[in-house]
Amino acid sequence: MRCAIVGSGLAALATYATLRHGGVAPEEIAVFGTHEDPLAVWRTRASSIRQRRMRSESDGHLAPASFPGLAVREAVRRGSPTPLLQSVANRYHPSVDDFLAHGDEVRVRSGWEHSFVPRRITRVRAVEGGFELDGEGPFAHVLLATGHPGLAKPEEYPDAVHAYEPHEYASKVAVVGAGMAAATEWINALSAGAEVISVRRREPVRRPLNVPRPLFSKRGLASFHAAPPEKRAAMLRALSTPSYPPGRAWDEPLRSERFRVDSTARGAEQVIAATGFKQGFWHDPLLADLVAEHDLPAHGRWIVLAPDSTVPSLTDDVRTLSIAGIAGQWAFPAADTIAGAKYAARAFRRRACRTP
């Protein structure tokens, strides 16, 4: 079989749809994962924090081609040009409901179920002509899209519920963290009538996207790729600083007398950990084993990748090993976004289909 995708989340779906768009047949692709519905995990997390709008903008959709996107879909449905005008100005943020409906359509239209194999892969081994996945194969081209390696919870609050787990709100809530999930939870808890304590180590950065917009561009990426390893790692560490968008919709609720910032959660009836995910490839058993077995270069918590998201020492004219999602940040700083998933997917398609 020609291609394998390890993982069954949004990045895997984006890659599968991109391969199918490139002419690769379902029987030439195996998708190994734990969720037949690639939207399942993301849907639960978005529902848990009551997310209503996507942080992504015009290209934040799973279809392989950039156009038409969700702005066109909404403009047609509403009979209004407003979404298109917002899209031109990078101000269009689709609703979560629209994104999920679109994701379901991409899954069905691409034929995902014909290639899905319900299996968790634990080992990837380079062999002649490709890679074996738990002894099965070889597959000439493999993309790893294993997602975030687990939820991060602060040790000082072992009984905290994570923001991305289903929960309700007590009358006095402490939210640990200062990024997008935390900001959403502050507003959710206030709307539920709770008193809210924001427990944070630093002040959040205010930016529309999770990384500055220039790093989504060819010029910005060229500069990032040209940076020495230590500078590149420093940039990635800086980008991990908690952030959420600027704007009145975020600021106005926090003027409530029921909201305050503190260094601890003392007095709270409930602690919510809005602390994101574990960081570092070593938290992912498959990636940790891959690095150890093949002695892959790493820099800090990142596996060193080529600009096209491939593992250089295991990729040549015959075979491809690519990494998408959060573990692919060395190639694309916003690798854990939809745009990042499509960046890796399109490069993978070019290698698998040998297209320019």
Side-chain angles (χ1 to χ4, degrees), residues 115-135:
S115 301
F116 179 72
V117 181
R119 186 186 312 166
R120 182 185 296 277
I121 298 298
T122 60
R123 300 182 74 191
V124 177
R125 292 292 179 269
V127 297
E128 185 176 353
F131 304 89
E132 288 186 349
L133 308 179
D134 285 348

Side-chain angles (χ1 to χ4, degrees), residues 116-166:
F116 179 72
V117 181
R119 186 186 312 166
R120 182 185 296 277
I121 298 298
T122 60
R123 300 182 74 191
V124 177
R125 292 292 179 269
V127 297
E128 185 176 353
F131 304 89
E132 288 186 349
L133 308 179
D134 285 348
E136 184 170 340
F139 299 90
H141 307 288
V142 175
L143 180 137
L144 307 179
T146 52
H148 289 279
L151 301 177
K153 290 188 177 181
E155 294 181 0
E156 59 268 43
Y157 303 110
D159 297 327
V161 62
H162 200 281
Y164 290 138
E165 298 171 326

Side-chain angles (χ1 to χ4, degrees), residues 147-229:
H148 289 279
L151 301 177
K153 290 188 177 181
E155 294 181 0
E156 59 268 43
Y157 303 110
D159 297 327
V161 62
H162 200 281
Y164 290 138
E165 298 171 326
H167 61 278
E168 298 300 328
Y169 301 99
S171 59
K172 190 170 185 179
V173 177
V175 179
V176 182
M180 185 70 171
T184 305
E185 287 289 66
W186 299 334
I187 295 173
N188 289 340
L190 287 169
S191 297
E195 181 180 340
V196 179
I197 306 167
S198 170
V199 181
R200 60 180 76 167
R201 291 179 296 179
R202 67 190 85 177
E203 286 301 305
V205 175
R206 306 297 297 276
R207 55 181 176 233
L209 304 176
N210 64 346
V211 305
R213 188 172 282 109
L215 286 174
F216 288 85
S217 70
K218 289 183 178 180
R219 178 177 295 183
L221 279 175
S223 176
F224 174 76
H225 291 149

Side-chain angles (χ1 to χ4, degrees), residues 14-25 29 62-67 109-110 346 349 353:
T15 303
Y16 186 79
T18 299
L19 288 175
R20 295 285 292 112
H21 185 71
V24 184
I29 311 169
L62 293 162
S66 295
F67 184 87
R109 189 168 60 247
S110 67
R346 287 165 177 169
R349 180 198 61 199
C353 301

